[in-house]
Amino acid sequence: MSQEFLPDDNKSDRANDDSAAVSEQEVVLLTVVGSPKGVRETIFTLYRLGFAQVGDWSPLQRAANPKQVMSVLIRRSGAHGTPPRKSEG
């Protein structure tokens, strides 16, 4: 397993950490790469599972491979790891 994914026990969460001072949100970037059909199907599947709204994803962009596209979703959550609630209507 790659070590960069494991928490470093020698680092502590400090209230005066620059990232904490700027925002108390956690930001996660998700990228889907594949054929246009495959990327759209994945986005729709994640929508049906309640993961994200279709409109939350970026428009399809060209990927490094000319036959592939990609779409990006940026998820922000509050200080306690819960996603912000969207207002209804």
Side-chain angles (χ1 to χ4, degrees):
M1 177 185 276
S2 182
Q3 293 299 316
E4 66 265 17
F5 293 108
L6 299 176
D8 185 352
D9 293 335
N10 295 326
K11 292 182 181 178
S12 62
D13 291 334
R14 294 172 291 197
N16 62 356
D17 183 16
D18 288 341
S19 62
V22 173
S23 173
E24 291 191 17
Q25 290 184 339
E26 288 290 327
V27 178
V28 176
L29 180 78
L30 293 103
T31 306
V32 178
V33 179
S35 69
K37 180 181 177 189
V39 170
R40 282 192 296 271
E41 286 178 356
T42 300
I43 290 170
F44 288 131
T45 298
L46 291 171
Y47 168 73
R48 285 191 300 274
L49 294 171
F51 184 76
Q53 297 294 315
V54 172
D56 292 346
W57 291 86
S58 72
L60 298 182
Q61 305 289 323
R62 284 182 272 181
N65 181 330
K67 294 182 180 182
Q68 293 183 331
V69 297
M70 66 180 197
S71 184
V72 177
L73 171 72
I74 299 174
R75 294 286 295 240
R76 292 177 174 84
S77 63
H80 302 290
T82 56
R85 293 185 180 266
K86 291 187 179 182
S87 59
E88 297 288 327

